[in-house]
Structure formats: C-alpha cells, structure tokens
Amino acid sequence: MAKKSKIVQNERRKEIVARYAERRAELRRASKDVNLSMEERIEASRALARLPRDSAAVRVRNRDQVDGRPRGHVGKTGLSRIRFREQAHAGHLPGITKSSW
C-alpha cells in the first residue's frame, strides 16, 4: 500500500495536467512551427517554461488502482503485478488464463 500523500499528490498532478493540456499543446506547436519568426518561437518556448512543472504529463505516475503501488504496473488492467496475479488466480479478470507449456 502506497502512502496516502503520494496517491493524493498524483491525483492532483492529473488535474493540473488536464487543466493545462490545451495551453501546453498550443505553446509546443508554436515553439516548433518553422513558419513563425525566431522571436515568436523563443517567446513560446519561454512561456512553456513558465508553466507549472506538474502540468507536464510525464510527471504523472502509473499506479495500481486498488492500493496505489507505483511499481510493476500492468497497463491493460491498471493493476500492479502482485494484484494482477491475485485477481487472475481468483478468476476476477475475464479472458486472463494461467499459461502452461
């Protein structure tokens, strides 16, 4: 089980990313646009740097939906590897079977 503060912090980051996503995408497009003058591109780059750090999507951590574990995240189910194994063995994940050969 992850610390509650880390889970809350990650949720807050998700909200900030959603709030600034459009503005961030617009500034990134402007900073890469070769049709704009160099001054406009530099200004867009500076405006992008002034945005909050937590507005970048890469700062959001994939966590287990049940207990918030940050490592061993299985993207298809949203669970950690440990919780995934428990749920699969219990038969709670449809279409998941234990393989043997």
Side-chain angles (χ1 to χ4, degrees):
M1 180 79 183
K3 288 170 49 172
K4 295 287 184 187
S5 61
K6 290 294 184 181
I7 296 170
V8 170
Q9 180 182 32
N10 201 45
E11 293 302 317
R12 193 188 77 239
R13 280 185 178 152
K14 286 179 185 178
E15 292 170 7
I16 294 172
V17 166
R19 189 180 325 139
Y20 285 95
E22 190 175 321
R23 176 84 173 129
R24 181 171 276 277
E26 179 185 311
L27 289 171
R28 281 179 54 94
R29 249 183 272 116
S31 66
K32 293 178 181 181
D33 190 1
V34 294
N35 297 327
L36 295 177
S37 69
M38 187 56 90
E39 291 79 25
E40 291 173 326
R41 291 171 64 187
I42 290 172
E43 183 55 39
S45 179
R46 287 185 180 145
L48 187 63
R50 283 192 300 267
L51 290 178
R53 278 188 179 185
D54 284 345
S55 68
V58 297
R59 291 179 64 94
V60 175
R61 181 79 188 208
N62 288 329
R63 290 186 172 270
D64 187 326
Q65 292 176 350
V66 178
D67 64 1
R69 188 175 199 279
R71 305 278 180 117
H73 185 264
V74 179
K76 187 177 274 189
T77 59
L79 302 172
S80 68
R81 61 186 174 80
I82 298 164
R83 184 81 50 201
F84 177 83
R85 189 168 186 268
E86 288 173 359
Q87 297 292 316
H89 283 270
H92 297 304
L93 300 175
I96 305 294
T97 57
K98 188 173 188 300
S99 65
S100 62
W101 56 90

